[in-house]
Amino acid sequence: MASVPVQAASGPMTGGPTLTSVPPIRLRRRSALPGFGPTLGFTVLYLSLVVLVPLAVLVLRASGLGLAGVWAVAMSPRVLAALQVSFGLSLAAATVNALLGPVVAWGLTRYHFPGRRLLDAIVDLPFALPTAVAGIALAAVWAPNGWIGGLLAPWGVQVAYTPLGIFVALVFIGLPFVVRTVQPVLADLDREIEEASATLGASRRQTVWRVVAPTVLPAVLTGFALAFGRAVGEYGSVIFIAGNMPFRSEIAPLLIVVRLEEFDYAGATAIATVMLGISFLMLLAVNLLQAWSRRRLGHV
């Protein structure tokens, strides 16, 4: 980018010329990298075939009911309860991961201890495990007769087959997104900045909150968005531990499958369209917040 300052002359009071600065004109230079046209064309074509066309077909199928029909399906008691369970627990799980994920990333990045590489590999297990295997494992551990569920049962706390079990499953599958997003930022963070903060008299807590936290905030928001998006659409690892009771522990993706098994294709696409709209608005809000944080830190 080249900035060319332009000045205008005016002098209504003194009669002489007065220089007044005008915002610089930014001239965009051509990139030295070739292939912008083919790259842009391939990007638009690929995204259209993989993302836009399937979503457009989904919305088109749901439009057969009309706006009033889609609204009626979304506001039916069972669908509304399923949407509240899915989005409410997904938001709660993503928030917990956004708070605890950076702590895990900090421990794996800044400290060296025996077994650190093993713990670092364990973080990726939710990525590698099939969702059905993860669901069966979580149900076995948190069931009333499981290793952890058996310890909680005498206290009257039941995790499996309740909304709390859904929350545990969503935290499990969402944690790697936050850790792997924040970890490279912490690894690239220059420690001289922290040392300079300590030299200026800041305590360790002040250094963390005023130096480290603002730097990793955009990465935390990105991890939050990824974890939330994965949690909203999660199916395999949830149905084994949820109990799948309508109006209590039934998630929206399961309800879509139920409608498809009942050959109610219009109702299934209507629920899917509502989920698409809510997810898009929430992710848009997170992206706007992330862009604001980047501008505030001067990264843009």
Side-chain angles (χ1 to χ4, degrees), residues 8 13 27 31 68 94 140 144 161 214 224-225 236 251-252 258 271 282:
M13 299 297 296
L27 302 178
S31 173
Y161 318 123
F224 172 85
I251 58 175
V258 171
I271 299 173
M282 297 189 71

Side-chain angles (χ1 to χ4, degrees), residues 200-238:
L200 295 175
S203 63
R204 291 184 176 181
R205 182 175 299 178
Q206 289 175 329
T207 300
V208 170
W209 286 107
R210 297 187 178 183
V211 177
V212 178
T215 304
V216 301
L217 180 60
V220 172
L221 292 175
T222 300
F224 172 85
L226 293 174
F228 172 77
R230 170 68 186 275
V232 168
E234 183 61 22
Y235 177 80
S237 62
V238 172

Side-chain angles (χ1 to χ4, degrees), residues 88-190:
L89 293 178
S90 297
L91 185 61
T95 302
V96 170
N97 283 326
L99 295 176
L100 300 184
V103 178
V104 177
W106 178 273
L108 294 175
T109 304
R110 292 305 178 90
Y111 302 106
H112 298 274
F113 51 87
R116 182 176 68 91
R117 293 185 180 276
L118 178 61
L119 291 179
D120 193 36
I122 291 176
V123 172
D124 291 330
L125 275 180
F127 285 148
L129 282 178
T131 56
V133 175
I136 294 174
L138 291 173
V141 171
W142 292 96
N145 58 347
W147 291 354
I148 301 178
L151 299 176
L152 299 177
W155 299 89
V157 178
Q158 182 178 353
V159 177
Y161 318 123
T162 66
L164 185 57
I166 301 176
F167 172 77
V168 171
L170 297 183
V171 171
F172 173 79
I173 57 99
L175 179 63
F177 290 95
V178 180
V179 175
R180 292 310 184 212
T181 305
V182 176
Q183 198 170 4
V185 179
L186 289 176
D188 294 338
L189 184 62
D190 194 351

Side-chain angles (χ1 to χ4, degrees), residues 20 32 35 59 75 78 80 83 97 122 140 154 163 205 209 251 292:
T20 304
V59 176
M75 290 296 104
R78 186 176 178 181
L80 192 60
L83 291 174
N97 283 326
I122 291 176
R205 182 175 299 178
W209 286 107
I251 58 175
W292 171 82

Side-chain angles (χ1 to χ4, degrees), residues 69-81:
V70 174
W71 180 260
V73 172
M75 290 296 104
S76 62
R78 186 176 178 181
V79 174
L80 192 60

